[in-house]
Amino acid sequence: MRTRNTAVVAAMCAGLAATLAGCGGDGGGEDPDAGTNGVGKLPAAKIEARARKAAGDAEAVRLSGKLVTKGRTYKVDMRLKTDGGTGQVSTEGSTFQLLRVGKDLYLKADAGFWTHKSEGSGGGQSSADAAAADKLDDKYVKVPVGDPSYKRLSGLTDKSLLLDGLLGLHGEISTGGRGTVGGVRTIRIRGGEGSGGALDVSLKGRPYPLRLQRAGDAGVIRLADWDKDFTLAAPDKGDVVDYGQQIPSGT
């Protein structure tokens, strides 16, 4: 009888093993953190702190996606590092390239961009405006530091400023589910149960933030190429044209 009872118990244990992680309590289930960097075991606030530190320590990053700020939507694809950045920005039907090396900020766009800006300033487009737009076509324009557009545009090329502003979650931070971003296993942390934004953090290597859902539907950003260096240099003098007046405020 004892032998039969033992066999029955063993069969029950085998049937329930997947749900109960085995009889006897030795935890036969697969460890979800096996082979990871271990941050998935941490409280959400510590995961956020580790992700922000990894981002701050990195020398470079590629940031792409959509940002909604002050009622304007920007589609961005920027490569950033500590001393500047370069990439493309689109907003309200306009597309332009930005390049910042140290404090020197350059903007490059086609003639259509400058024609549109000229028309948007009121009074239509004159023949002089058209000639100026042709002169600026596919050339870099150096944005003066004192120009009203400088602060706004340079902010899109500033790694520290952008990451500090983007990575903060709002509300009480909690841990969400696990998933993958670009084939890399991640752990999600959320602010305010998701209403305050969500951040997917890498479970491989350094805990870099890989995907950000901003609070209030203010855009989704992918972060990649962490610590991958790239060339950042001022354009040749022959590729730089003086705009000759204040950069259009609609930029």
Side-chain angles (χ1 to χ4, degrees), residues 63-76 156 161-170 188-191 194-200 211-223:
L63 186 152
S64 61
K66 290 185 178 180
L67 291 171
V68 181
T69 178
K70 295 182 179 180
R72 177 175 290 189
T73 299
Y74 294 89
K75 184 177 180 181
V76 300
L156 294 171
L161 183 65
L162 267 181
L163 293 182
D164 286 347
L166 290 174
L167 295 182
L169 300 176
H170 304 286
R188 173 168 290 189
I189 54 175
R190 305 170 298 173
S195 62
L199 190 65
D200 294 304
R211 182 180 183 274
L212 170 68
Q213 170 69 59
R214 300 185 71 205
D217 294 323
V220 177
I221 294 295
R222 288 281 301 271
L223 302 113

Side-chain angles (χ1 to χ4, degrees), residues 114-130:
W114 297 108
T115 299
H116 173 73
K117 294 306 175 189
S118 175
E119 291 174 343
S121 62
Q125 183 190 15
S126 67
S127 58
D129 291 331

Side-chain angles (χ1 to χ4, degrees), residues 3-28:
T3 301
R4 181 184 176 189
N5 288 344
T6 301
V8 171
V9 172
M12 290 175 63
C13 278
L16 295 173
T19 304
L20 302 180
C23 291
D26 62 354

Side-chain angles (χ1 to χ4, degrees), residues 111-198:
F113 170 89
W114 297 108
T115 299
H116 173 73
K117 294 306 175 189
S118 175
E119 291 174 343
S121 62
Q125 183 190 15
S126 67
S127 58
D129 291 331
D134 287 340
K135 180 183 178 183
L136 297 171
D137 181 41
D138 206 31
K139 294 288 187 178
Y140 285 99
V141 172
K142 188 172 183 180
V143 183
V145 174
D147 190 282
S149 296
Y150 181 91
K151 184 175 181 180
R152 179 172 63 255
L153 295 174
S154 64
L156 294 171
T157 67
D158 190 318
K159 172 181 172 287
S160 295
L161 183 65
L162 267 181
L163 293 182
D164 286 347
L166 290 174
L167 295 182
L169 300 176
H170 304 286
E172 184 177 354
I173 301 174
S174 60
T175 304
R178 295 168 185 252
T180 60
V181 174
V184 178
R185 294 166 64 186
T186 58
I187 180 75
R188 173 168 290 189
I189 54 175
R190 305 170 298 173
E193 295 297 321
S195 62

